[in-house]
Amino acid sequence: MIPRLVQSALAKSASARPLPIRQLLSPSATPTIQTRCYLGDAGEMKSRRDNAHSDEVAQREQKLWNKAQPRYDSIMERHLRLPTIDGDEERELDVRKKRLVYRSKQRGWLEVDLLLGTWASENVASLSVDELNDFEQFVNLETIDIYNVLTLRVDVPKEMQSTVVGEKSLVQRIQDWAKESPLGKADREKYVEVKTKNNLI
């Protein structure tokens, strides 16, 4: 039988024992997990700034972004601006086509370089001015977005789809071409042939 003095000491030590950390945290204090991911099978891109009203880090990020955005817009505008050659429209158009072919080949992703670069090498020279505008809008997308469209992971963006029933836009035709293209299949000889033919190596 335990003496009363020992029972009293045990009771005091038990009451003084700290509570588990889960009991100390209220439901509202539970940390949330912020996720960032690419398009495709991984889901949609999310940003901490979507919850800026309740996230101090996101609020600071938003303030920095608001401060940096004018500079970002200025740099992006200069980056996308096409060179102009005064008084020579034909030469200016030729420079524009070559620039778009180069940008199509040098995306940094082998799959996109092969698919988009090969299509551009074969077709850009024959595009009209309106089609060039559409193609340039497509090339201006992020490489991951171009990859998702070419590999049918996502549909062609609505603004790049044709508004005429039964008629396909330029980007939709590129997607159809990529769907039927033998590129990307496990054929080393075909890979070397395409890379050499379109000056991709």
Side-chain angles (χ1 to χ4, degrees):
M1 188 171 182
I2 302 176
R4 288 186 179 180
L5 184 60
V6 175
Q7 289 180 350
S8 177
L10 289 174
K12 287 182 179 179
S13 65
S15 63
R17 188 178 302 158
L19 292 172
I21 188 66
R22 290 181 181 176
Q23 295 181 20
L24 293 175
L25 288 175
S26 64
S28 60
T30 302
T32 57
I33 299 175
Q34 300 292 339
T35 59
R36 294 172 184 262
C37 51
Y38 286 125
L39 287 175
D41 296 337
E44 296 184 0
M45 179 75 75
K46 296 181 181 179
S47 171
R48 293 188 72 155
R49 294 200 302 270
D50 295 339
N51 299 319
H53 61 282
S54 59
D55 189 330
E56 293 183 5
V57 174
Q59 291 174 5
R60 292 198 298 270
E61 280 187 3
Q62 187 64 52
K63 287 180 181 179
L64 288 172
W65 172 246
N66 292 340
K67 185 176 181 180
Q69 188 168 13
R71 177 71 173 162
Y72 168 86
D73 292 339
S74 174
I75 292 173
M76 184 60 71
E77 190 276 330
R78 290 200 306 273
H79 174 69
L80 298 178
R81 184 192 309 150
L82 290 170
T84 57
I85 303 172
D86 295 335
D88 193 341
E89 293 183 4
E90 185 176 349
R91 186 180 173 197
E92 182 176 329
L93 186 61
D94 185 56
V95 169
R96 183 183 183 190
K97 289 179 178 180
K98 289 180 179 179
R99 182 172 185 261
L100 286 172
V101 171
Y102 176 83
R103 290 181 62 197
S104 300
K105 292 179 179 180
Q106 304 294 329
R107 301 301 305 194
W109 280 35
L110 177 61
E111 296 86 351
V112 179
D113 291 347
L114 281 171
L115 289 169
L116 191 63
T118 300
W119 187 92
S121 297
E122 295 175 355
N123 296 278
V124 163
S126 61
L127 295 181
S128 66
V129 175
D130 289 339
E131 289 174 328
L132 278 179
N133 293 336
D134 294 339
F135 184 64
E136 183 177 11
Q137 184 182 8
F138 183 55
V139 171
N140 285 343
L141 294 177
E142 294 290 338
T143 302
I144 179 65
D145 296 327
I146 294 176
Y147 174 78
N148 284 330
V149 171
L150 291 179
T151 56
L152 309 178
R153 281 174 164 77
V154 297
D155 292 332
V156 174
K158 288 185 178 180
E159 63 273 16
M160 297 183 186
Q161 295 179 11
S162 175
T163 57
V164 180
V165 178
E167 183 177 319
K168 292 188 176 182
S169 68
L170 178 72
V171 180
Q172 289 172 315
R173 297 203 305 269
I174 294 175
Q175 191 181 54
D176 288 343
W177 175 88
K179 189 190 308 182
E180 301 299 328
S181 174
L183 295 175
K185 296 183 179 179
D187 185 343
R188 178 175 175 78
E189 293 181 0
K190 183 65 178 179
Y191 169 81
V192 173
E193 176 189 342
V194 170
K195 290 278 282 187
T196 304
K197 178 181 176 182
N198 293 286
N199 195 27
L200 294 168
I201 55 175

